[in-house]
Amino acid sequence: MNIPKLVLKNITRRKGRFIFTLLGITIGIASFVTLLSLGGGLKKEIKKQATELGANLVVTPKGWCAYEQISVLTGEQLPEAIPFDVVKKISAIKGLTAVPYLTERTAIKNSPVPVIGILPEEMKAFKAWAMEKGSYFETQNEKAVIIGSGIAQQFKLNPMNELTIRGEKFSVKGILKETGGKDDIAMFMPLSVAQRLYGVRDMVSFIAVKVDDIAKVDEYILKIQETANVAVVSDKQLLKSVLSIVGTVSLTLQLIAAVAILAAAFGIINTMMTAIYERKREIGILQAIGAKRSTIFKAFLLESGFYGILGGIIGVASGLVFSSIASPYISQNEFTAFMKGTEVAGSFDLRLVLWSLIFSLFVSLVSGFYPAWRASKLTPVEAISYE
Amino acid sequence: MNDMIIKTENLVKTYNTSKVKTYALRGVTLEIPRGTFSCITGPSGHGKSTLMHLIGGLDSPTEGRVFIDGLVVTRLSSSELADLRAEKIGFVFQFFNLLQNLTALENVETAMMFSKNRNNHKEKASGLLSLVGLSDKLDAKPSELSGGQQQRVAIARALANDPDILLMDEPTGNLDSESEAEVLGHISELHKKGKTVVIVTHNNEIAKMAEMVFKIRDGRLDLH
């Protein structure tokens, strides 16, 4: 017989209460882990997308909010608000390359798929795309589509297959090599074809700009703004503002999870206090046969710590499982669309796991501190005389 | 005198409840020689159990001192008191006070857990249970045992760390006459083996077995 064994025997005595208290801390930790791992994955993915965009500057219409800036990275549908003339004017500035994006949307077998209108030659050079199968556009107004490798896989498409977009037939001309980013799950067509198909005549959604001399980024921002009435953000600013929004959102969610953990902590306190009242006489017996106050304190602290360890382990495990189940659903949301087709859900962050376990143990020990102190303060005669 | 294993000096115990001071003990001085069988008797509520609690270090007196084996118990810290209870004193209570979720064997082993000697707990515990005739009940929970059997487990537990002193509070108060005889037999055996036995009781039969009888009345030792 030893203290841990005694504690284990005590803790499983009231099975219902044990399970409910455990559930409290488990749910708290699980929601915390889910939100942290989704939030962490989201940030990682945003950074990846920003790199993949390959632009130093993004030209947007004036007055776009952060939501639309996020959509630049996610490849969501955007208003077509910049006249093509502006693209020409910006392209004319020396020392930079500008490529326009017209982001629209279609559906294959009822699943939404981004359709992006591009200037074929310019974009190929800009992105350094390589082909997996088939061939690339040959002219600037060819009526065909190039698809990302993810789309090809998802819908089992091959070159020469036909697709219907807004009632018109398009053949798949080629499939891009996997890029690991949004381009894998998008469909591209020449800008002029897209403009006609979506009836937006001469407009584009935004322009990605790469500058030759990175040190002169600020200079180029001014030059572009002199040329046209547009807003220009650097990739760093874009990333910063997107990350700050995502950060705020996930911080808010984590605070909610923290409240859940706080409620669970009170659940533990409540259970421990009840246990002390129920076992008051037993505490007295233990003292009579030689248990020190410090032993009683340790035993009760160990008991509440047990909730933390077990609740932490189950909570972390179910949080990771839950985040992998939840990620495809929340990827329907533009804010979290990054998750789509990425490996965020499966990402196993050892640091997150360890910290969550430590946090769970810490919460349970803090919760157990007061009840354990109360138990250890009982005098033997007071405890043993308790009926 | 070294032979006095238990000594109390002018023990006073008062309880302050809602502005009224109640005296449980009003100055008790007694000496109990090593290896003797003593009884503390007296009417209910006159301070017998309080005296036993003070001797056993379960409670502290308002005034006066308790000596166990020359040690001033009343000066010990709560941790030193716990060591004293673990090593030197075995308690047996009227209502057995076994841990209900543990088996007979585990109850005895639990007491060994608090001793400095950390070897062969299981073996020793089952040996003690055999000594009180319960070798076939090692894995029984208290709820599966009769009152007499539970009290025998409690006696085995009191002997767990081979203490010099056994303090018993109405050990047969809750038993039928057959179980009582059995339990008293075991107590008598222990006395013969050299243990100092102090029993708090109403029972005249037990008092007759004792070498020394202390009568407590109104919190004082009744010398008549």
Side-chain angles (χ1 to χ4, degrees):
Chain A
M1 186 54 73
N2 50 38
I3 294 288
K5 202 171 159 191
L6 194 66
V7 166
L8 210 62
K9 282 198 174 250
N10 276 331
I11 208 168
T12 48
R13 235 152 111 178
R14 304 264 182 187
K15 292 194 175 61
R17 195 166 66 200
F18 167 66
I19 288 170
F20 289 131
T21 307
L22 189 65
L23 266 181
I25 185 84
T26 302
I27 290 170
I29 293 295
S31 52
F32 196 67
V33 168
T34 305
L35 294 171
L36 269 184
S37 81
L38 286 179
L42 203 59
K43 280 183 189 165
K44 236 192 277 175
E45 198 56 27
I46 288 169
K47 284 181 189 160
K48 197 170 134 197
Q49 295 300 335
T51 318
E52 207 216 22
L53 185 66
N56 308 120
L57 298 171
V58 176
V59 178
T60 67
K62 278 202 163 157
W64 265 17
C65 65
Y67 171 79
E68 285 148 332
Q69 291 180 348
I70 289 179
S71 299
V72 168
L73 295 184
T74 59
E76 291 300 312
Q77 192 170 11
L78 280 166
E80 41 297 299
I82 305 178
F84 193 69
D85 276 354
V86 174
V87 180
K88 283 185 192 155
K89 279 184 199 162
I90 294 173
S91 296
I93 300 172
K94 273 189 186 159
L96 59 73
T97 320
V99 290
Y101 278 74
L102 174 62
T103 56
E104 298 291 352
R105 196 177 255 219
T106 185
I108 304 176
K109 293 179 186 153
N110 288 328
S111 293
V113 175
V115 173
I116 300 170
I118 54 167
L119 295 176
E121 278 314 308
E122 285 80 345
M123 190 55 106
K124 194 178 182 193
F126 193 84
K127 291 264 192 179
W129 275 338
M131 300 305 291
E132 172 80 37
K133 282 184 194 168
S135 55
Y136 195 66
F137 298 118
E138 279 149 32
T139 61
Q140 293 284 53
N141 48 15
E142 197 173 344
K143 199 185 166 195
V145 292
I146 298 289
I147 59 175
S149 60
I151 296 274
Q153 231 169 35
Q154 192 182 347
F155 301 103
K156 297 189 176 62
L157 291 173
N158 276 305
M160 307 312 287
N161 284 156
E162 287 219 323
L163 285 172
T164 308
I165 304 169
R166 285 181 79 108
E168 292 188 25
K169 293 228 182 286
F170 282 79
S171 72
V172 176
K173 177 130 194 187
I175 296 165
L176 291 176
K177 250 202 181 111
E178 195 177 326
T179 63
K182 281 294 125 188
D183 292 349
D184 289 343
I185 52 163
M187 191 189 293
F188 301 90
M189 64 173 69
L191 184 62
S192 56
V193 179
Q195 282 171 334
R196 182 187 56 74
L197 190 66
Y198 285 89
V200 297
R201 270 182 280 161
D202 238 10
M203 307 295 261
V204 302
S205 305
F206 68 91
I207 307 163
V209 175
K210 211 189 268 182
V211 298
D212 295 346
D213 186 355
I214 198 82
K216 291 183 183 163
V217 162
D218 291 339
E219 221 171 276
Y220 285 114
I221 292 177
L222 284 176
K223 272 190 191 168
I224 294 169
Q225 280 171 335
E226 279 166 15
T227 312
N229 186 23
V230 287
V232 186
V233 288
S234 73
D235 59 340
K236 287 197 186 81
Q237 286 169 328
L238 185 68
L239 195 61
K240 210 171 132 189
S241 78
V242 171
L243 282 179
S244 91
I245 292 173
V246 171
T248 312
V249 171
S250 54
L251 187 70
T252 311
L253 292 173
Q254 280 155 28
L255 276 176
I256 295 170
V259 171
I261 292 174
L262 190 69
F266 281 105
I268 294 179
I269 296 176
N270 194 21
T271 295
M272 296 303 297
M273 291 303 282
T274 316
I276 286 162
Y277 282 114
E278 275 178 2
R279 288 190 232 140
K280 208 167 175 177
R281 198 181 175 85
E282 289 181 16
I283 295 168
I285 297 171
L286 287 173
Q287 287 179 320
I289 61 177
K292 291 186 166 80
R293 282 185 169 169
S294 59
T295 311
I296 303 284
F297 181 83
K298 270 186 240 161
F300 276 94
L301 204 60
L302 196 63
E303 189 166 329
S304 69
F306 186 76
Y307 282 108
I309 294 170
L310 197 63
I313 291 171
I314 304 174
V316 167
S318 49
L320 290 176
V321 170
F322 190 71
S323 66
S324 71
I325 295 172
S327 68
Y329 294 99
I330 65 164
S331 72
Q332 305 298 324
N333 181 316
E334 274 79 358
F335 266 95
T336 50
F338 299 99
M339 317 296 287
K340 220 183 307 183
T342 67
E343 284 172 11
V344 169
S347 70
F348 181 80
D349 187 345
L350 191 67
R351 236 177 35 171
L352 171 72
V353 169
L354 280 179
W355 275 113
S356 304
L357 287 178
I358 291 170
F359 183 49
S360 177
L361 184 62
F362 174 75
V363 166
S364 65
L365 288 179
V366 169
S367 313
F369 199 87
Y370 175 69
W373 179 78
R374 284 283 298 265
S376 71
K377 283 290 155 208
L378 287 171
T379 64
V381 75
E382 174 194 357
I384 211 153
S385 314
Y386 184 77
E387 298 294 332
Chain B
M1 236 171 86
N2 260 349
D3 266 331
M4 296 301 162
I5 192 161
I6 299 169
K7 219 170 103 178
T8 72
E9 261 180 22
N10 196 30
L11 281 186
V12 175
K13 180 72 185 176
T14 59
Y15 296 101
N16 292 312
T17 44
S18 55
K19 293 177 192 169
V20 184
K21 201 172 184 181
T22 316
Y23 277 88
L25 291 179
R26 295 168 185 265
V28 174
T29 302
L30 55 77
E31 289 185 336
I32 297 175
R34 187 185 300 277
T36 52
F37 187 148
S38 325
C39 265
I40 300 172
T41 62
S44 292
H46 282 236
K48 301 188 300 290
S49 295
T50 303
L51 179 59
M52 193 194 95
H53 292 153
L54 294 181
I55 292 173
L58 290 175
D59 204 357
S60 50
T62 314
E63 280 172 43
R65 292 193 295 179
V66 175
F67 300 81
I68 298 283
D69 227 355
L71 204 68
V72 190
V73 173
T74 28
R75 276 204 205 135
L76 299 179
S77 67
S78 81
S79 162
E80 289 166 328
L81 272 177
D83 284 338
L84 179 86
R85 290 192 296 262
E87 309 281 350
K88 279 213 176 287
I89 302 171
F91 287 96
V92 176
F93 300 94
Q94 179 177 359
F95 297 103
F96 325 131
N97 279 342
L98 298 176
L99 298 172
Q100 294 298 315
N101 60 327
L102 303 184
T103 63
L105 188 69
E106 288 167 340
N107 263 287
V108 181
E109 277 185 85
T110 302
M112 293 175 173
M113 196 163 88
F114 304 117
S115 138
K116 286 180 181 106
N117 185 352
R118 301 197 170 259
N119 300 323
N120 309 326
H121 285 179
K122 204 167 215 155
E123 238 169 79
K124 277 194 220 160
S126 64
L128 288 171
L129 284 166
S130 305
L131 194 75
V132 292
L134 289 174
S135 50
D136 55 337
K137 298 283 183 192
L138 301 185
D139 296 324
K141 292 265 177 80
S143 57
E144 296 156 5
L145 298 171
S146 71
Q149 289 170 330
Q150 288 191 52
Q151 197 59 302
R152 276 142 66 195
V153 175
I155 291 173
R157 181 181 65 185
L159 295 172
N161 300 319
D162 196 21
D164 294 331
I165 302 167
L166 289 171
L167 295 181
M168 307 191 178
D169 193 355
E170 298 281 7
T172 58
N174 237 23
L175 302 180
D176 57 42
S177 50
E178 198 180 321
S179 306
E180 180 182 316
E182 241 174 21
V183 166
L184 287 178
H186 288 298
I187 294 172
S188 171
E189 282 297 312
L190 293 170
H191 169 229
K192 281 180 194 152
K193 284 181 185 164
K195 302 283 179 204
T196 305
V197 179
V198 181
I199 299 184
V200 167
T201 185
H202 278 111
N203 189 324
N204 285 330
E205 294 305 310
I206 301 180
K208 280 180 196 163
M209 287 167 63
E211 296 159 287
M212 299 175 76
V213 177
F214 300 96
K215 284 187 188 162
I216 297 276
R217 186 176 287 275
D218 292 325
R220 288 194 179 89
L221 217 51
D222 189 352
L223 301 169
H224 304 288

